């Protein structure tokens, strides 16, 4: 069993996702942000300026590494070669937090689909995910945080809802949760549910990191669909949901993600500053 | 339906852009919305992979236009989806795909070599680090040992021989580049691509330099490499060529430490393409 790390080791402050267009600004001067998150797969090359930049910045900022390619939901099990690459990266960078998604990305023949695809919340899927999380935590030698996905479909066959599935997963594997508040919102609206309802049922004590991001809206027959495109400022109802989550879980590291139409760094830092205000409120309320 | 079957079927729908009633039946969403909902995932897959290819092949995209590029990449993705999740390595098969893709290869026969040049730049960007050979290190080699000395190329170095003016075409599509009208299409070019101080650089090579670097990449001793260069160019000035290569951090000392990296270890990795070089030599005869 891999135990949770000391929470004091990582600041319950706002961080931003490190993106290539912002590397020069970070290398030129310290930036007013408490911590950084890097997409693990973007730093697996054997050399070059991006890897060098992250290795340098790692000395100046607490770091979370966020994987987008391990495919915890794959029925065929994990790609051992990829797991070994991640292990080598994490041994080198020693990130305080590492995370992956409750989703699948890879087909049995190894084809990588480059998107976080949905799982049916069945017993069969649970056993596959739990075995994959066990293996990943064993090989990586670290506690893995598992992120709730954004969903556009729902499977008819289900033994749990998402909150129930994640609760059982943290209980079985000892993994932590990365609570993506934007995903919680997007998925609930796309299902026609109350976005705040899962906060009553998720194992909030296991939450070690929170994500927020912007989403888009598209029209579909008989309604509207929210798309988790990380391409705009965080929407007001997502800020409200963040406040509700922090009120219940207590202050936690909050990350602002922005991946398409990436803005100038000050725009992103302003979003992080807004998250800091919510964190201060939660901290004051917690006394 | 077993999870593995569901994933296989859904994966095929997303990659090939078609519908599968067996997948749609598994969804709990209103029937009239199911296709549209799955289309979000399909668009995400396409958008993610298209973004990777756009970043790696910006000049190919400029040459054929954004729309044509996107349509061609859809065909490429369906034929050669990524085989692993490390996407800086995705796109290595695009040059050969373009060579066989007649709608583009016929009007733009130089397009595959431009793609090879862009892929060489991509490989150079992510290749392992290595200490460049310095003049001081070279000066420390006993003169008697120099003829048999085997300096090699920096792990990021790539040698591309083309029957087309591939560097000039590339350069004409850069913000500060040359004029497209000035490119002479019957001019063959050989290009060196490498990374210096974190920046990818490239320049066309004279026949003597090309022969020298080909020999060094093949781990041949310095004396043989110089001989090969002189054989290609009677006026080849080795001291001038050497100073230029040292100044540009293209060379490394013999037997560099190899740390089990994924790129650039084998000498063959320095050669982007060999056949067109032979073609060019045949054409010159």
């Amino acid at each position: 069993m891999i135990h949770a790390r000391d929470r004091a080791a990582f600041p319950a402050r706002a961080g931003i996702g490190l993106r290539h267009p912002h590397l020069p600004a970070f290398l030129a001067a310290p930036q007013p942000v408490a911590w950084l998150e890097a997409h693990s797969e973007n730093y697996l090359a054997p050399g070059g300026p991006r890897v060098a930049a992250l290795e340098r910045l790692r000395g100046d900022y607490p770091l979370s590494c966020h994987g987008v390619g391990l495919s915890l939901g794959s029925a065929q099990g994990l790609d051992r070669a990829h797991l070994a690459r991640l292990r080598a990266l994490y041994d080198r960078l020693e990130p305080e937090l590492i995370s992956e998604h409750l989703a699948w990305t890879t087909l049995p023949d190894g084809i990588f689909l480059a998107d976080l695809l949905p799982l049916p919340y069945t017993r069969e899927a649970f056993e596959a995910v739990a075995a994959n999380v066990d293996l990943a935590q064993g090989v990586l030698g670290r506690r893995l945080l598992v992120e709730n996905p954004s969903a556009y479909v729902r499977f008819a066959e289900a033994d749990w809802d998402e909150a129930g599935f994640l609760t059982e997963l943290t209980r079985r594997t000892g993994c932590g949760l990365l609570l993506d508040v934007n995903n919680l919102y997007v998925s609930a609206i796309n299902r026609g549910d109350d976005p705040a309802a899962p906060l009553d049922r998720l194992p909030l004590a296991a939450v070690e990191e929170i994500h927020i991001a912007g989403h888009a809206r598209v029209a579909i027959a008989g309604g509207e669909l929210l798309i988790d495109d990380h391409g705009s400022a965080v929407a007001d109802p997502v800020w409200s949901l963040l406040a509700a989550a922090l009120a219940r879980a207590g202050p936690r590291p909050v990350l602002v993600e922005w991946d398409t139409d990436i803005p100038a760094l000050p725009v992103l830092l302003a979003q992080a500053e807004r998250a800091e205000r919510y964190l201060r409120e939660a901290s004051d309320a917690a006394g | 339906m077993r999870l593995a079957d569901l994933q296989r079927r859904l994966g095929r729908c997303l990659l090939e852009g078609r519908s599968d009633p067996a997948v749609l039946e598994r969804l709990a969403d209103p029937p009239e919305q199911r296709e549209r909902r799955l289309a979000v995932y399909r668009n995400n897959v396409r958008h993610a992979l298209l973004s990777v290819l756009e970043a790696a092949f910006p000049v190919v995209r400029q040459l054929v236009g954004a729309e044509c590029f996107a349509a061609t990449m859809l065909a490429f993705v369906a034929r050669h989806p990524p085989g692993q999740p490390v996407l800086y390595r995705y796109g290595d098969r695009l040059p050969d795909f373009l060579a066989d893709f007649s709608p583009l290869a016929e009007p733009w026969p130089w397009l595959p070599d431009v793609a090879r040049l862009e892929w060489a730049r991509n490989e150079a960007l992510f290749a392992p680090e290595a200490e460049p050979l310095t003049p001081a290190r070279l000066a420390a080699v006993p003169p008697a040992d120099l003829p048999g000395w085997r300096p090699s190329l920096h792990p990021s170095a790539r040698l591309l021989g083309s029957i087309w003016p591939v560097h000039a075409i590339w350069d004409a599509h850069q913000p500060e580049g040359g004029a497209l009208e000035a490119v002479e299409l019957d001019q063959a070019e050989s290009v060196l691509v490498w990374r210096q101080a974190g920046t990818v650089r490239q320049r066309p090579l004279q026949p003597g330099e090309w022969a020298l670097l080909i020999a060094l990449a093949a781990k041949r001793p310095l004396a043989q490499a110089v001989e090969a260069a002189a054989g290609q160019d009677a006026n080849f000035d080795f001291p001038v060529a050497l100073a230029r290569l040292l100044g540009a951090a293209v060379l490394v000392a013999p037997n560099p430490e190899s740390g089990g990296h994924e790129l650039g270890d084998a000498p063959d990795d320095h050669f982007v393409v060999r056949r067109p070089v032979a073609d060019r030599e045949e054409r010159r005869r």
Side-chain angles (χ1 to χ4, degrees), chain A residues 242-264:
Chain A
L242 172 67
L246 291 175
R248 291 182 209 204
R252 292 286 194 279
V254 175
L255 182 91
V256 183
E257 292 185 292
W258 203 318
D259 290 284
T260 54
D261 294 327
I262 295 175

Side-chain angles (χ1 to χ4, degrees), chain B residues 57-66 69 118 170 172-175:
Chain B
F57 298 97
V59 172
V60 171
R61 183 166 180 262
Q62 283 186 60
L63 277 164
V64 304
F69 183 83
E118 295 206 285
W170 182 90
H173 291 83
Q174 302 308 307

Side-chain angles (χ1 to χ4, degrees), chain A residues 104 112-118 150-153 225 227, chain B residues 9-21 23-24 27 33-51 70 73-74 77-78:
Chain A
W104 60 281
F112 176 68
L113 293 163
D115 192 30
L116 300 161
L117 300 169
S150 50
Y152 309 106
V153 299
L225 202 58
I227 314 286
Chain B
R9 280 174 173 271
L10 184 51
R12 255 200 318 262
C13 290
L14 300 180
L15 278 178
E16 293 165 16
R18 55 180 187 74
S19 178
D20 183 342
V23 172
L24 293 173
L27 303 183
Q33 293 181 349
R34 290 178 189 170
E35 273 292 355
R36 180 65 188 91
R37 285 170 176 266
L38 279 182
V40 176
Y41 294 104
R42 187 177 302 139
N43 290 339
N44 286 350
V45 171
R46 288 176 173 183
H47 180 80
L49 296 177
L50 179 62
S51 302
M73 293 312 110
L74 274 188
V77 164

Side-chain angles (χ1 to χ4, degrees), chain A residues 118-121 151-158 160-162 187-188 190-193, chain B residues 23-30 33-34 37-38 41:
Chain A
L119 278 172
Y121 295 131
Y152 309 106
V153 299
R154 211 157 29 115
F155 292 99
E157 200 186 343
W160 292 273
D161 64 3
E162 189 172 284
S187 298
N190 288 344
R191 276 196 313 266
D193 285 346
Chain B
V23 172
L24 293 173
E25 263 174 33
R26 319 305 297 180
L27 303 183
D29 305 288
Q33 293 181 349
R34 290 178 189 170
R37 285 170 176 266
L38 279 182
Y41 294 104

